[in-house]
Amino acid sequence: MIPRPTRSSEPTTAEAGAWADVLVSHQLLHAAVLAPTGQWLVQRYPDAPVLVLTGPAAVVELAATIQHRIRSVRPESR
């Protein structure tokens, strides 16, 4: 596995929100909601338990994990 590049700054709430919107719109998550506490409430599918993510970095990490999973399952198209 190729290591992910390191970031020069922490993810922002806006970046996490953008990733959450993309994941939900592509039906990779059922729901992702920012709570007033700064935590994110995420649900993978309608009847799944709600996961509590600690902040923007956790949402971006979840997006990276989902991307990695999708790319590792997809056959190469070269």
Side-chain angles (χ1 to χ4, degrees):
M1 180 186 326
I2 299 171
R4 294 185 191 137
T6 57
R7 293 179 57 107
S8 60
S9 63
E10 286 295 310
T12 64
T13 300
E15 181 182 2
W19 276 113
D21 288 345
V22 167
L23 294 172
V24 171
S25 69
H26 287 272
Q27 299 179 346
L28 298 168
L29 288 178
H30 175 68
V33 177
L34 175 61
T37 60
Q39 296 173 316
W40 286 82
L41 307 177
V42 175
Q43 195 174 26
R44 292 185 188 251
Y45 48 90
D47 294 329
V50 174
L51 303 173
V52 179
L53 303 180
T54 57
V59 175
V60 172
E61 181 64 28
L62 176 62
T65 300
I66 291 171
Q67 282 183 325
H68 177 74
R69 186 181 68 224
I70 290 169
R71 290 179 180 156
S72 65
V73 172
R74 219 185 304 169
E76 288 296 322
S77 58
R78 294 184 187 178

